[in-house]
Amino acid sequence: MQTFPTMYRGFIHCFTSTFRQVGLSGLYKGATPALIANISENAVLFLSYGLCQDAIRFVSRMDKGAQLSDIQKASAGSLASIFSSIAICPTELVKCRLQAMHEMEATGKIASGQRRTVWSVVKTVLKTNGPLGFYQGLTSTMAREIPGYFCFFGAYELCRSKFAQHMGTDKDGIGYLPLMFSGGFGGACLWLMIYPIDCVKSRIQVYSLTGRQEGFMKTFMGIIRTEEKNSGSLGCFGWLLVLISLLFITATFPITLFMCVKIVKEYERAVIFRLGRITDRKPKGPGLFFVLPCTDTFVKVDLRTVSFDIPPQEILTRDSVTVSVDGVVYFRINCPISSVANVSNAHSSTRLLAQTTLRNVLGTKNLAELLSDREGISLSMQASLDDATDPWGIKVERVEIKDVKLPQQLQRAMAAEAEATREARAKIISAEGEMNASRALKEASLIIAESPSGLQLRYLQTLTSIAAEKNSTIIFPLPIDILQNFMKRE
């Protein structure tokens, strides 16, 4: 359609005519040189791109490895396209001739019956123009590539920069979808710039079959003069909008596909809203599901158990003691739809409710109960929280009291009370011991009084114990009965 705009009424007519006349293989004419062209072009382009970046740093007097701006990267890509033009021009010539050979024969510009293979075109070029014949249209190829790849790399890097700025990350961390969109946007800018020049290049390379073709400017002006005057025909610009539209659809189709296909993990569920309404009373997942772009939105809900700390709360107990108490709550979402539709933020609301519940429950307890009955307090809090969060689709699994902090004065008073209690207990134990010892001595004296000889034996036992200690002085106790005789005489 670029080289023979008057032969076809539009894209559909060109497609059906080509398929009817030369079959499905006609749509793939020039596929081999096109494949070689793309491989060689991209290999040389990205090889030269790195070297051209170093050249831009050298010209700009920047350090080696310094980060280039988006405009500098676009300039490096434009400079690298000069080298890729030299690599792509021969294969582009062969591709364009193969694709337009049917039309050339139909219009009588060349003799019919020629072989339509890559090798036959290569031999024809070598025979008629020599090796330099492969570089017919090199000027137009460079005129196409230089501004085209400036727009491509510039738009690609600029789009990545905007995504990185919006997402608060670097260019390498923007993700797959923004990266795909950046590449598609760069390709659209590339073809928006080069399509008119590509039309001129194709004319030069195809019409060179009939002999030496005029240069770039004469071919360009010829297109403007002859084809822009035709009613309903826009020449090389006629299908520019069609190409851009197709390119945009091709570039955005993967993005659209990824926007429609969603995956939730085993511990997740998705609540889908279609035009503001929940589509189903049952959440989606786990696994793969689909959403409609523009009309469907969804919210992912995590079903795993979540824990959070209750900040220390200043609480006045029933017996008017101020204490600081903190705890931990374990809960999970058991109804994803209720957690999304009935409360704006289920996690935050549960945290706030846990703080107020802790104050309310402990305010009904005295200090002794608070210190001794933690398990009962935890169960009471769990029941209260579970009842309050049930409309939100939340199940409170466990509540624990972590720490109870008493005021310093109260701690000292309790320590003094405990110390006094221990001292009193020690005195009671000592007094009880003395009382028991006195009772034992009384019983022993009564037994000895009943048997005088038993007292003498006790004296002898005492002497034996004294003698065993190796003392230098031994005191012999005088029998009491002797003293009694003297006392009677007096």
Side-chain angles (χ1 to χ4, degrees):
M1 294 184 68
Q2 286 179 331
T3 51
F4 300 95
T6 59
M7 289 187 64
Y8 303 105
R9 296 188 299 273
F11 171 76
I12 300 298
H13 183 221
C14 179
F15 180 85
T16 55
S17 298
T18 303
F19 184 78
R20 189 185 311 113
Q21 293 166 2
V22 293
L24 183 63
S25 61
L27 300 174
Y28 289 91
K29 285 295 182 182
T32 301
L35 182 63
I36 297 173
N38 279 278
I39 293 173
S40 58
E41 177 189 22
N42 287 285
V44 176
L45 176 68
F46 286 97
L47 172 64
S48 306
Y49 181 56
L51 300 175
C52 291
Q53 284 183 327
D54 293 335
I56 294 295
R57 293 188 184 96
F58 177 77
V59 172
S60 303
R61 297 181 180 180
M62 300 172 65
D63 295 334
K64 188 175 182 180
Q67 187 68 27
L68 298 178
S69 65
D70 295 339
I71 297 297
Q72 289 173 326
K73 289 182 179 180
S75 302
S78 180
L79 185 61
S81 67
I82 298 175
F83 303 98
S84 65
S85 299
I86 299 174
I88 198 177
C89 187
T91 52
E92 279 283 304
L93 176 73
V94 177
K95 181 200 73 170
C96 289
R97 288 193 177 185
L98 276 174
Q99 289 178 338
M101 192 168 287
H102 173 75
E103 286 79 5
M104 292 289 284
E105 292 179 356
T107 56
K109 296 183 180 296
I110 60 173
S112 60
Q114 295 188 20
R115 297 186 62 187
R116 302 175 185 176
T117 62
V118 176
W119 181 238
S120 64
V121 175
V122 171
K123 288 194 297 184
T124 302
V125 174
L126 289 174
K127 183 177 179 181
T128 56
N129 304 104
L132 293 179
F134 288 104
Y135 288 94
Q136 297 180 75
L138 177 62
T139 304
S140 57
T141 302
M142 288 186 176
R144 180 190 74 167
E145 300 288 291
I146 292 173
Y149 278 100
F150 180 87
C151 294
F152 174 77
F153 283 101
Y156 173 71
E157 295 294 342
L158 179 63
C159 201
R160 288 177 65 205
S161 298
K162 292 300 181 182
F163 273 116
Q165 181 180 358
H166 177 72
M167 299 169 66
T169 182
D170 56 2
K171 289 184 177 181
D172 296 330
I174 61 176
Y176 295 115
L177 294 183
L179 191 64
M180 292 170 63
F181 182 84
S182 301
F185 181 72
C189 293
L190 167 71
W191 281 99
L192 180 64
M193 173 60 67
I194 73 172
Y195 193 82
I197 306 174
D198 184 70
C199 181
V200 177
K201 177 197 73 74
S202 298
R203 294 281 181 97
I204 293 174
Q205 290 180 332
V206 171
Y207 286 168
S208 62
L209 277 170
T210 61
R212 185 171 181 80
Q213 177 63 20
E214 295 178 343
F216 175 80
M217 288 304 301
K218 289 185 177 180
T219 304
F220 181 80
M221 296 306 298
I223 294 173
I224 298 297
R225 284 194 305 268
T226 58
E227 296 177 18
E228 292 293 337
K229 297 178 182 179
N230 298 333
S231 60
S233 175
L234 296 178
C236 65
F237 302 99
W239 288 92
L240 178 60
L241 295 178
V242 176
L243 176 65
I244 294 174
S245 301
L246 292 175
L247 186 61
F248 180 78
I249 293 173
T250 304
T252 57
F253 176 74
I255 301 177
T256 305
L257 183 61
F258 275 101
M259 290 175 62
C260 295
V261 179
K262 303 297 179 181
I263 298 175
V264 291
K265 299 177 181 178
E266 181 67 30
Y267 53 82
E268 293 177 332
R269 298 295 184 270
V271 180
I272 301 177
F273 291 87
R274 180 166 299 160
L275 298 177
R277 295 179 176 271
I278 297 177
T279 58
D280 194 356
R281 300 312 300 176
K282 182 179 179 182
K284 300 293 184 181
L288 186 72
F289 67 96
F290 296 90
V291 296
L292 299 179
C294 302
T295 61
D296 288 1
T297 58
F298 72 97
V299 179
K300 282 186 180 180
V301 179
D302 196 327
L303 302 183
R304 293 178 293 183
T305 298
V306 180
S307 64
F308 65 87
D309 292 327
I310 303 176
Q313 304 292 311
E314 295 290 337
I315 298 170
L316 184 66
T317 62
R318 190 173 60 181
D319 50 356
S320 300
V321 177
T322 302
V323 294
S324 177
V325 183
D326 60 357
V328 60
V329 177
Y330 298 87
F331 73 95
R332 60 181 174 85
I333 294 176
N334 62 354
C335 182
I337 294 178
S338 298
S339 68
V340 173
N342 295 348
V343 61
S344 61
N345 190 327
H347 291 253
S348 177
S349 300
T350 305
R351 286 184 174 90
L352 295 176
L353 184 61
Q355 297 177 22
T356 59
T357 304
L358 179 65
R359 288 194 291 267
N360 294 336
V361 171
L362 295 185
T364 62
K365 307 291 183 180
N366 55 38
L367 182 60
E369 292 174 338
L370 178 59
L371 296 176
S372 60
D373 192 21
R374 291 193 179 188
E375 183 177 356
I377 295 173
S378 298
L379 294 176
S380 177
M381 280 191 61
Q382 179 183 349
S384 299
L385 276 175
D386 201 18
D387 292 339
T389 58
D390 184 65
W392 302 344
I394 290 177
K395 172 65 178 175
V396 178
E397 296 182 337
R398 191 177 181 87
V399 178
E400 292 290 341
I401 302 298
K402 292 174 60 178
D403 191 16
V404 178
K405 295 182 180 179
L406 304 177
Q408 293 294 329
Q409 294 179 352
L410 182 60
Q411 291 183 22
R412 288 194 293 268
M414 293 180 66
E417 180 183 359
E419 183 67 22
T421 302
R422 286 193 296 270
E423 290 179 358
R425 182 63 179 168
K427 290 180 179 180
I428 291 173
I429 293 173
S430 177
E432 289 177 352
E434 291 181 358
M435 183 179 66
N436 293 333
S438 298
R439 289 175 179 174
L441 287 174
K442 178 183 178 182
E443 293 176 357
S445 63
L446 293 175
I447 294 173
I448 292 175
E450 294 176 356
S451 176
S453 61
L455 181 61
Q456 299 298 326
L457 292 174
R458 183 63 177 168
Y459 290 157
L460 294 176
Q461 185 181 6
T462 303
L463 290 174
T464 303
S465 300
I466 294 172
E469 297 294 331
K470 298 180 181 180
N471 295 318
S472 59
T473 301
I474 299 176
I475 298 175
F476 291 94
L478 185 66
I480 297 299
D481 53 352
I482 297 176
L483 293 178
Q484 289 179 351
N485 295 328
F486 284 105
M487 291 174 65
K488 291 177 178 180
R489 290 177 184 179
E490 292 178 356

